[in-house]
Each structure stands twice: as structure tokens, then as C-alpha cells.
Amino acid sequence: MMKKRLIGILSAAMLVFSVVGCGSKPTANQTKDNISKSNVSEVKTLTYGSACDYSRINPALDEHAEIHKIIFSGLTKHDENSKVIPDLAESWTYDKKNLMYTFKLRKNVKWHDGKDFTADDVKFTIEAIKNPKNNSEIATNYEEIKKVEVVDKNTVKIYLSKPCTPILDYLSVGMIPKHLLDGKDITKNSFNQHPIGTGSYKLDKWEMGQYISLKANKDYYNGRPKIDKVVFKIVEDEKARALQLKSGELDLAQLEPHDMNSFGNDKNIKLYREKTADYRGIMYNFRNPIFKDVDLRKALTYAIDKKKIVDKVLTGMGQVAYSPLQMGNYSNKNVEKYKYNPKKAKELLNKAGWKVGKDGIREKNGKRLSFKITCFEGDPVRTNIANVITQYFKDVNVDAKVEVVPKGSVKWDKLEGFLIGWGSPFDPDDHTYKVFHSQQIESGVNLNAYSNKKVDELLEKARTSEDDNIRKKYYKEFQQEFSNDPPFSLIAYIDAVYGANKNIIGIKDTVLGHHGVGFLWNVEEWDIK
């Protein structure tokens, strides 16, 4: 049950109490008789079951972190319709002739340590992201930024080397403070474990591997959040998250599709089924010569019954995938969708020279058609998808085995196949240019070394075109070429399921991103009734 938490006694016991969730009751040592009325205050606490553990929190370095948007804020942000709106920037203008954006910043914005947020912080953040020494995961998004100029405390100009339509989306990245990080190695600085932002919540306490406790920023420029504390309790195991949500230890958690039914009659939990830009597929490593054969990749894609995977593995929580851009107005629904066709798969394998050997597995030039599909630990849905796919491959005489490894242990250049997941929740440039353009092979984002000159050209034109109709044309052509020369066997678009205590109010639907990130996008507006 959602309740207002009683705290005020400065003891370790009370800290534990704040972590276990809004449904917790006072322990034997916290009865009404021994809590002094003078020390009692009412605190609203939301305990979120985080599937992601954190070793550092820094939006200039890493993406896909739900917590970034709460602690930090950007020049822009997205509303519930995925439209770019002002945040730290009150307004902006664009000088098309000089490829220059001028941003007017909010006045009197404070960092969590009380220092003023200024244009110097904007310049510092963008330059930190672009600095190759920092190896930022998002550096590709800012390639076209040529120079950042501080005009005055509340005005900053950003010059581009060529047009970059998605730049306003990318400037939603959380700003980081120059006064704490200037002249330091931001990849190793203790700031990453003691983050200071301008967002709606600020760090209260962090117990590595256990929880991250945030408290409302009373000086937040959009007004103090209604919920006093948000606790990210680290629960990586999906079964444990479901059990703790049911018991009241958690107030909010993302659920796996097969866990939905267990909450069907639970009157205390409300389920939210959200559309996402998240897809799953088999990524083939082009460093392995066998995957350079387009007929092989097409055959493997035809061999998979994607509809059955959506229905059985995802229990209907998704749709069959055919393009990396299924959201918005850029999707090309006329491309080849590679519907399940094992007969055609066998024909293409024969055409490619892969003949069935004595052991029932295809071979060519003495080499068996055998490879691994790697999955990360802690993601049973991906592993289940991969296991089903190996059975479909077996039906067309291909030997594939599933390998489950710890996160962080993968050497991308050594992989054979991988159960990949990406997505573009906002601008279609996101997770297309940096994932499929050949220039991004060295940066480490084009993980499978895919190289297609036509894809490169189309993505560059789409990224730098300012006319939306022209961009649509290029992105639809890109999807056609993607279908003609598939780097992945796309399987499914994933719906995200969240379970929330019924007493949480203010949750608004929006399109979520990769891994279902974005559910907490307006948490500062939430309340507990």
C-alpha cells in the first residue's frame, strides 16, 4: 500500500526504512509510542525497481540511463508527443545562412550545490562530449557542432559545420557543471559517483549495487516536485522485481511480458503498456567472412517465424519488425518484410553454396554453417528469443548456439552473432547514423562493422537536410537499402510494461526509448494520493 512515510529520527534504521518502499510498515523499534512527535514529518517516497545497476552517473558519457533525466536537465526536452520544447533554454533562434543557433538561457537556475548555471556550462558540456579522450557514447550526435561561443552569462551560440536537423533533439542531453569538472578527467572523476545537476531531484545517498536515493530539489526552476524522495532500488532480476512489486517493497517496476498475468487481479497495481522505439534482432558480425554474403543473411531472416516469437515469447507484447524506423512518419512499410518462409530460406542457402553435409548441417568449402548468438545475462527475453531462433535455424540445417555472457565482457570484434536492441524514439537520425554508417565502425557504435556506401550517403543526406519531406524520402530509401542488404535479422518491436502502485497519480503515456527508458519523463509532476 502506498503511504506517507514517517521519518525524522536520524538513525540507520530509518534509512533502511526509506529504501524498502512506500508499502513498508514501522519496525518494532519504530512504533508510535517511541517516535517523538517533534521529530515526525510526512515524506512521500517512491521506490522504483531499477533493472539497471550504475557504476557512474554522467549524461555526457553514457546513454540509456533513466536516472539522467531526473538529476540533470538539458537545453531542450521532449513533451509527451515527443516534440522538442524548451528546458534550460527559454528560447532559441536559428540563423540558416550562418548555420548558427542562439540560445537564451533561463535566469537564476542553480546547480544542486547552489552555484549558478550559465552559458559556460553549456560550452563545457558540449566540448566534453566531443572530446575524443572522453570516449562518449553519444559523441556522434554532435559531430556537426563546429564551435560553441559564450556571448554572456545567459546567451550561448552554437555553430554548425553543416546543417544537422536532429541537433535540437540531441541538446536535451543533461548539462554538467564546469565549476566542478573543468581541467579534470571526467571519465574517472568522483563526480560520477556524486553527480550534481540542475534537475528535479538531487542525490541523497548511494549504496553501490543496492540503491540510489534522490530527494526533491526545492530550488528546481519548474517548481519543487510533489514526491519528496525517489529511490532507485537495484533489482536486476526480473522475477525479483515482479515479486517485490506485488509485496509492496517496490512502487514501480518494469515487468517482463510473461509477468503481466500475475497482476491481472491485483487491485493495488495498475499496469501500463507503452509503445517503444525498441526493436530486437540478430546482429551479424561482418568481420566474419560468412556474413558478408547477403543471400545468407536474407535466408536466415526468412527462416525465422517472427510472428510466433511475438505471440509466444513476448506473449503478444510487441509487433513483427521489418525496419529500424517503425515509429513516426518516417517508416517505410513497403519494404520486404521477410515473412516466415523456410522454403525460400533453403533456396537462398543452396544458391549461396551452403549444402547439407553428412551431419545434417550445411557446409561450404569444408566449413560448417555454425555460429554463436550471444546474449547478455539478466535479460531473459533476449535469451528466450535467441533460443527459439536457433530451433528455426536448425530447421533449415544451420547450427546456431546461444551464449549468455556478463555485461561488459563482450569484445564486439570477436562476436559472431548478437541479440541486438536499438531504437529511435525521437529523431530518426538517432540509432541509425551512428549504428549503420561505416564511419562509425572505428567509434565503436557500428558494432558489427556494417558498410554500405548507399546507406552512408542516404543517412548523411537525411541528417543534413532541413526540409522534412526530403528527409522522409531519404529515410524511406535508407530502409529500402537496409532491406536489400540487411545487417540484422529484425525480429520484433517491443512493448514496455510497467506496474505501478495505484496511488501514484500523474503518469502520462509517451513513446519510450531503448530498453523502455523514458517512463519517468515527467516524474516531477507525479504525486501520491
Side-chain angles (χ1 to χ4, degrees):
M1 296 287 292
M2 181 75 63
K3 296 182 179 179
K4 293 180 180 179
R5 182 128 341 114
L6 298 176
I7 67 169
I9 297 177
L10 301 178
S11 65
M14 292 309 293
L15 175 59
V16 173
F17 173 57
S18 71
V19 171
V20 295
C22 298
S24 299
K25 298 178 180 179
T27 65
N29 293 324
Q30 296 165 347
T31 62
K32 292 181 180 179
D33 291 339
N34 60 21
I35 296 180
S36 168
K37 291 183 179 179
S38 63
N39 288 331
V40 171
S41 61
E42 293 182 342
V43 175
K44 297 177 183 179
T45 302
L46 170 72
T47 304
Y48 170 63
S50 176
C52 174
D53 196 2
Y54 295 88
S55 59
R56 70 183 184 189
I57 299 174
N58 190 325
L61 299 177
D62 306 312
E63 62 177 346
H64 302 319
E66 192 83 70
I67 205 167
H68 286 170
K69 296 295 185 182
I70 301 175
I71 295 177
F72 299 91
S73 42
L75 294 184
T76 66
K77 63 181 179 180
H78 296 89
D79 65 12
E80 59 196 289
N81 299 312
S82 300
K83 180 183 176 182
V84 176
I85 60 175
D87 196 3
L88 289 173
E90 284 185 332
S91 63
W92 56 83
T93 58
Y94 179 52
D95 180 345
K96 188 173 182 177
K97 179 180 179 181
N98 294 304
L99 300 178
M100 179 189 71
Y101 282 93
T102 301
F103 291 88
K104 292 292 184 181
L105 307 181
R106 289 177 182 265
K107 297 178 180 178
N108 302 317
V109 173
K110 301 289 185 182
W111 291 100
H112 293 158
D113 63 1
K115 301 292 185 181
D116 288 338
F117 164 77
T118 72
D120 285 321
D121 298 307
V122 178
K123 178 178 171 67
F124 176 79
T125 300
I126 294 173
E127 290 178 350
I129 292 171
K130 288 177 63 64
N131 187 342
K133 293 181 180 179
N134 294 330
N135 197 28
S136 171
E137 288 184 350
I138 58 174
T140 302
N141 297 344
Y142 307 87
E143 283 183 355
E144 283 76 18
I145 293 181
K146 180 172 63 175
K147 182 176 68 171
V148 182
E149 177 187 325
V150 173
V151 178
D152 57 42
K153 181 179 179 181
N154 296 301
T155 310
V156 62
K157 292 184 177 182
I158 296 177
Y159 294 83
L160 305 179
S161 58
K162 54 187 174 181
C164 183
T165 302
I167 197 65
L168 289 175
D169 290 76
Y170 296 146
L171 289 173
S172 65
V173 66
M175 297 290 113
I176 57 176
K178 178 181 179 180
H179 69 276
L180 294 176
L181 292 169
D182 192 20
K184 299 176 181 178
D185 183 348
I186 72 167
T187 66
K188 298 178 181 178
N189 194 268
S190 61
F191 172 88
N192 297 328
Q193 290 74 44
H194 302 86
I196 299 290
T198 55
S200 55
Y201 286 86
K202 56 185 179 180
L203 183 68
D204 184 27
K205 188 173 179 62
W206 185 352
E207 289 290 340
M208 288 285 181
Q210 298 181 45
Y211 68 88
I212 304 171
S213 179
L214 309 178
K215 60 184 178 182
N217 177 9
K218 63 182 178 60
D219 298 318
Y220 182 51
Y221 48 85
N222 278 329
R224 186 189 187 281
K226 297 173 182 177
I227 296 176
D228 302 299
K229 281 192 174 184
V230 176
V231 177
F232 280 64
K233 185 180 180 185
I234 310 304
V235 190
E236 295 183 90
D237 183 80
E238 85 288 352
K239 290 184 174 60
R241 285 198 305 277
L243 289 172
Q244 291 184 30
L245 181 64
K246 188 173 283 289
S247 71
E249 293 177 73
L250 298 176
D251 304 309
L252 174 68
Q254 186 175 359
L255 303 171
E256 300 297 349
H258 59 265
D259 289 325
M260 279 189 66
N261 292 336
S262 65
F263 289 90
N265 297 318
D266 194 325
K267 297 180 180 179
N268 294 316
I269 300 298
K270 181 176 180 180
L271 295 178
Y272 294 83
R273 177 174 175 172
E274 305 292 327
K275 293 295 180 186
T276 80
D278 204 6
Y279 62 77
R280 296 288 179 269
I282 300 294
M283 179 185 80
Y284 303 109
N285 193 343
F286 283 74
R287 300 174 185 88
N288 186 326
I290 68 170
F291 293 124
K292 292 184 178 180
D293 187 335
V294 66
D295 285 331
L296 170 62
R297 285 176 274 128
K298 288 181 176 181
L300 293 175
T301 310
Y302 278 122
I304 303 166
D305 190 339
K306 299 187 280 189
K307 180 67 166 59
K308 188 165 285 187
I309 290 175
V310 170
D311 291 343
K312 301 297 184 181
V313 180
L314 300 179
T315 63
M317 297 298 297
Q319 301 82 39
V320 169
Y322 57 87
S323 156
L325 291 173
Q326 83 276 24
M327 305 303 297
N329 299 319
Y330 299 90
S331 179
N332 186 349
K333 297 181 180 179
N334 297 319
V335 299
E336 173 61 48
K337 294 183 173 63
Y338 290 94
K339 292 182 179 179
Y340 180 52
N341 192 335
K343 180 181 177 181
K344 192 165 187 176
K346 291 178 181 179
E347 290 174 353
L348 285 169
L349 288 168
N350 290 333
K351 176 185 174 184
W354 292 100
K355 307 300 181 182
V356 179
K358 292 180 181 180
D359 63 353
I361 301 302
R362 292 178 183 272
E363 58 183 38
K364 180 179 179 181
N365 299 326
K367 182 177 177 60
R368 297 172 79 248
L369 186 47
S370 177
F371 58 92
K372 293 178 182 177
I373 302 173
T374 302
C375 302
F376 285 142
E377 289 179 352
D379 194 332
V381 173
R382 292 200 200 200
T383 302
N384 291 340
I385 291 173
N387 280 321
V388 172
I389 286 171
T390 62
Q391 294 303 309
Y392 287 124
F393 285 171
K394 185 177 181 181
D395 291 342
V396 295
N397 307 99
V398 175
D399 177 43
K401 294 181 175 62
V402 177
E403 173 189 53
V404 181
V405 301
K407 293 179 181 178
S409 66
V410 167
K411 293 182 178 179
W412 298 105
D413 59 332
K414 303 298 182 183
L415 287 181
E416 296 173 327
F418 184 78
L419 207 299
I420 195 73
W422 290 114
S424 302
F426 303 120
D427 193 274
D429 179 79
D430 190 21
H431 293 120
T432 53
Y433 179 80
K434 67 183 177 184
V435 173
F436 302 115
H437 196 291
S438 62
Q439 286 184 355
Q440 306 307 318
I441 295 173
E442 295 302 321
S443 72
V445 183
N446 182 335
L447 301 175
N448 63 332
Y450 177 67
S451 181
N452 179 311
K453 289 183 179 180
K454 188 171 182 180
V455 165
D456 289 352
E457 179 183 352
L458 290 168
L459 290 177
E460 286 173 11
K461 287 181 176 179
R463 181 183 177 97
T464 58
S465 297
E466 296 179 312
D467 185 311
D468 194 53
N469 289 324
I470 293 176
R471 295 189 85 210
K472 287 177 185 176
K473 173 181 177 292
Y474 288 138
Y475 279 121
K476 291 193 174 187
E477 290 180 15
F478 153 68
Q479 290 166 84
Q480 183 62 60
E481 186 60 23
F482 181 100
S483 176
N484 295 341
D485 182 31
F488 303 164
S489 288
L490 290 180
I491 308 299
Y493 306 128
I494 307 294
D495 292 346
V497 183
Y498 281 83
N501 190 291
K502 66 177 183 180
N503 293 328
I504 302 173
I505 58 176
I507 296 173
K508 292 182 180 178
D509 293 336
T510 189
V511 175
L512 305 181
H514 181 41
H515 295 317
V517 168
F519 192 78
L520 300 174
W521 72 275
N522 71 324
V523 69
E524 69 271 13
E525 300 174 11
W526 296 7
D527 203 351
I528 297 170
K529 64 180 181 180

